[in-house]
Amino acid sequence: MIKVVKFGGSSLADEKQFKKVKDIVNEEKERKFIVVSACGKANEDEHKVTDLLYLCAAHLHYGVSPDSLFSLIEDKYLKIRDALNIDLELEKEFAEIRRHFTKDVDTDYLVSRGEYLCAKLLARYLNADFIDAKDFICFIHNGEVDIELSKNKFLSLIRSDRKVVIPGFYGVMPNGSIKVMSRGGSDISGAILANIVDADIYENWTDVSGIYVADPRIIKNSLSCSRLTYRELRGMSYMGANVLHDDAIFPVKEKNIPINIRNTNRPADKGTIILNNCDELDKKDPPRIITGITGKQGYTIITLVKNHSSTSIGFLRDLLAIFEEYRISIESVPITVDTFSFIVQSKAVSNNLYEIINEIRKRFQPDDIRIDEDIALLAIVGRRMQALPGISGSLLSEFGRNAINIKVINQSADELSIVVGVANKDFEKAIHCIYDRFILEEASV
Ligand code: ASP
């Protein structure tokens, strides 16, 4: 059995967290490949190392000295090293990084150093090997990772059955330069590694005991999900649940490797297991009807009415082309007779909403066009909703009972999720009423 384990920044925020990580890793010999983020915040007064590194890069680009910022990072890593008596000459590493302190510093190189230093420290602390992500996570020019090439390189680098620590968040471009992923990208590195080594499980250790049914900032003490499908997770994380990076699902899904979200501060908790297919386990232990209630605020709906357009072939494609020309991604397109609504993120159209409207008027001469702003979308996700009559009915009547006006409704034929648009001001109320009715009431039966 092979386990890839990834620890996020909060799991490596100080020497106490390093000790917890050591206990977790040493508890099982199967926890062989360890991927790390940069150190996170140990308390509210601190800053994440990656944030500080981005600031250092910005200072350098503007010709301002980043010394005081960078020494915060040096102090943090030195403190961990000294508290744990780790035999590592960090001073040499810092000097090498400082050599790059020029106006044209490579930002990706600089910000990747948070993960690099953290992995070096942890490898020494665990008496494990260190393998640099720049030596095997290979990007191609379009920004995707070449998994085959990365696999071949990685397999040629592992020496024995010693544990290996790898910095997350970055890889190498074909020209040898370092490239970082999007924020939170160490989750993706862990998933890529799980794919490469054909792991039996990808454990993602963080500071919560799994994926919550609803955002705990809105629902205090929200219950968590013990089991999810990749598709449910994708639906939830796309719509705001952000325990795991969105793109971390694809490399493991391809090989059907389960993801287990675990809590470094409560290692006995089982966390959430994410699988391609939960059918077998569901038979023995049926899940809740609704797995997750997520959502986001800040959407705009552009609605166009034009008589007879529903029967005009290519009309929708021509409309969509306008959004494509403006490089605007569309969240959803609810359609009724001769009426087309386009739901987009408000920030995506903040600079050119009226230009787009004019363009639509010019090209299509609509009978009516309207804009609804300050919209929130709620995604109610659940694999058990499939073929279960009455769920959408009771969901919608719950909105009615609580005097929440529904602007749009969208459900695809796989019945995995129902997306409902409401006014931003009703967003939290809507989450509360669905949670109380479908999660709490079910839990109390
Ligand atoms: N350190 C990076 C960030 O803060 C990547 C990660 O933690 O996954 O976004």
Side-chain angles (χ1 to χ4, degrees):
M1 154 101 67
I2 300 177
K3 294 189 176 187
V4 168
V5 289
K6 181 255 161 178
F7 292 94
S10 59
S11 301
L12 293 154
D14 59 18
E15 56 278 12
K16 282 196 233 96
Q17 297 302 86
F18 263 64
K19 279 190 183 150
K20 292 181 193 170
V21 167
K22 186 176 192 170
D23 290 343
I24 292 167
V25 170
N26 287 344
E27 190 182 280
E28 292 185 21
K29 74 169 188 336
E30 292 81 4
R31 291 189 174 132
K32 183 157 183 226
F33 299 104
I34 301 123
V35 178
V36 297
S37 287
C39 300
K41 307 197 280 184
N43 57 58
E44 274 315 303
D45 298 330
E46 280 195 358
H47 297 280
K48 287 178 71 168
V49 166
T50 309
D51 291 340
L52 291 173
L53 287 167
Y54 270 110
L55 272 176
C56 287
H59 274 63
L60 285 163
H61 290 311
Y62 282 106
V64 180
S65 164
D67 265 348
S68 54
L69 285 171
F70 192 67
S71 55
L72 293 175
I73 300 173
E74 289 174 321
D75 291 349
K76 187 170 177 81
Y77 283 98
L78 287 171
K79 182 166 170 275
I80 296 173
R81 180 195 70 178
D82 295 340
L84 300 174
N85 288 320
I86 302 172
D87 176 23
L88 180 71
E89 223 186 309
L90 274 177
E91 292 78 359
K92 238 165 87 186
E93 302 284 356
F94 294 143
E96 172 58 26
I97 298 170
R98 282 180 178 274
R99 250 182 11 88
H100 291 74
F101 280 10
T102 61
K103 228 172 163 207
D104 52 3
V105 62
D106 177 347
T107 303
D108 282 34
Y109 161 78
L110 187 54
V111 297
S112 71
R113 297 304 85 188
E115 271 68 13
Y116 169 84
L117 292 171
C118 191
K120 280 238 139 172
L121 259 183
L122 187 68
R124 217 22 102 75
Y125 182 47
L126 297 177
N127 190 21
D129 286 346
F130 166 85
I131 295 186
D132 197 343
K134 91 167 183 350
D135 294 331
F136 78 95
I137 300 253
C138 302
F139 288 101
I140 36 185
H141 282 295
N142 67 5
E144 281 176 20
V145 172
D146 181 334
I147 300 271
E148 247 343 272
L149 180 61
S150 305
K151 177 176 179 162
N152 292 338
K153 289 203 176 219
F154 186 71
L155 296 182
S156 72
L157 290 170
I158 38 180
R159 290 188 298 145
S160 60
D161 58 358
R162 278 164 64 84
K163 299 198 187 224
V164 180
V165 182
I166 295 135
F169 187 44
Y170 68 94
V172 67
M173 289 299 279
N175 68 0
S177 65
I178 282 183
K179 175 180 158 54
V180 294
M181 300 170 182
S182 52
R183 296 299 305 266
S186 303
D187 286 341
I188 309 173
S189 309
I192 291 171
L193 198 70
N195 178 309
I196 286 178
V197 300
D198 286 312
D200 295 280
I201 190 157
Y202 171 30
E203 290 181 347
N204 192 293
W205 292 81
T206 174
D207 55 0
V208 287
S209 293
I211 309 271
Y212 290 111
V213 172
D215 186 339
R217 286 166 303 187
I218 299 174
I219 304 286
K220 246 178 118 200
N221 302 323
S222 166
L223 296 174
S224 56
C225 316
S226 57
R227 200 159 60 239
L228 286 177
T229 62
Y230 294 132
R231 291 207 50 224
E232 283 176 309
L233 176 68
R234 170 86 179 130
M236 287 170 68
S237 58
Y238 183 77
M239 288 300 287
N242 49 14
V243 175
L244 191 75
H245 193 296
D246 251 9
D247 293 337
I249 297 170
F250 303 109
V252 282
K253 186 169 185 227
E254 200 185 295
K255 292 212 169 154
N256 205 4
I257 300 167
I259 308 173
N260 187 192
I261 309 288
R262 301 285 291 267
N263 188 345
T264 303
N265 305 317
R266 294 174 60 97
D269 291 357
K270 290 197 166 60
T272 300
I273 282 274
I274 303 139
L275 298 161
N276 202 17
N277 184 319
C278 296
D279 290 353
E280 280 309 308
L281 293 167
D282 286 355
K283 272 186 212 147
K284 288 181 222 136
D285 171 26
R288 296 183 195 105
I289 294 171
I290 288 174
T291 327
I293 309 159
T294 56
K296 283 191 207 163
Q297 303 188 62
Y299 289 94
T300 296
I301 311 178
I302 301 166
T303 302
L304 161 146
V305 183
K306 182 164 172 75
N307 286 333
H308 305 296
S309 55
S310 280
T311 43
S312 155
I313 291 172
F315 188 78
L316 176 60
R317 188 205 48 208
D318 294 342
L319 269 169
L320 290 171
I322 296 191
F323 291 90
E324 190 180 340
E325 284 161 28
Y326 282 87
R327 312 287 315 145
I328 288 162
S329 151
I330 298 171
E331 296 295 320
S332 159
V333 190
I335 300 175
T336 53
V337 181
D338 297 340
T339 306
F340 299 78
S341 289
F342 298 89
I343 308 181
V344 295
Q345 288 190 10
S346 305
K347 62 176 190 294
V349 289
S350 57
N351 290 329
N352 43 24
L353 180 60
Y354 290 94
E355 227 178 281
I356 294 169
I357 300 294
N358 279 339
E359 208 50 41
I360 295 177
R361 279 196 214 282
K362 209 165 74 197
R363 290 195 213 172
F364 299 94
Q365 291 92 40
D367 295 304
D368 191 17
I369 187 158
R370 59 176 284 164
I371 301 170
D372 289 283
E373 292 182 285
D374 300 323
I375 298 292
L377 294 182
L378 257 86
I380 297 127
V381 180
R383 60 189 179 280
R384 246 186 88 195
M385 294 199 293
Q386 228 165 27
L388 200 66
I391 299 302
S392 44
S394 27
L395 260 175
L396 300 185
S397 67
E398 205 51 35
F399 283 81
R401 255 175 19 93
N402 287 280
I404 298 171
N405 182 45
I406 296 178
K407 268 295 199 193
V408 281
I409 308 167
N410 201 355
Q411 183 199 283
S412 52
D414 63 6
E415 303 169 68
L416 189 71
S417 64
I418 298 173
V419 175
V420 178
V422 300
N424 274 344
K425 70 171 178 36
D426 288 331
F427 178 62
E428 295 201 0
K429 182 175 170 194
I431 292 191
H432 272 282
C433 73
I434 300 301
Y435 185 88
D436 291 352
R437 164 76 179 78
F438 288 89
I439 307 298
L440 285 190
E441 281 187 22
E442 200 183 316
S444 66
V445 180

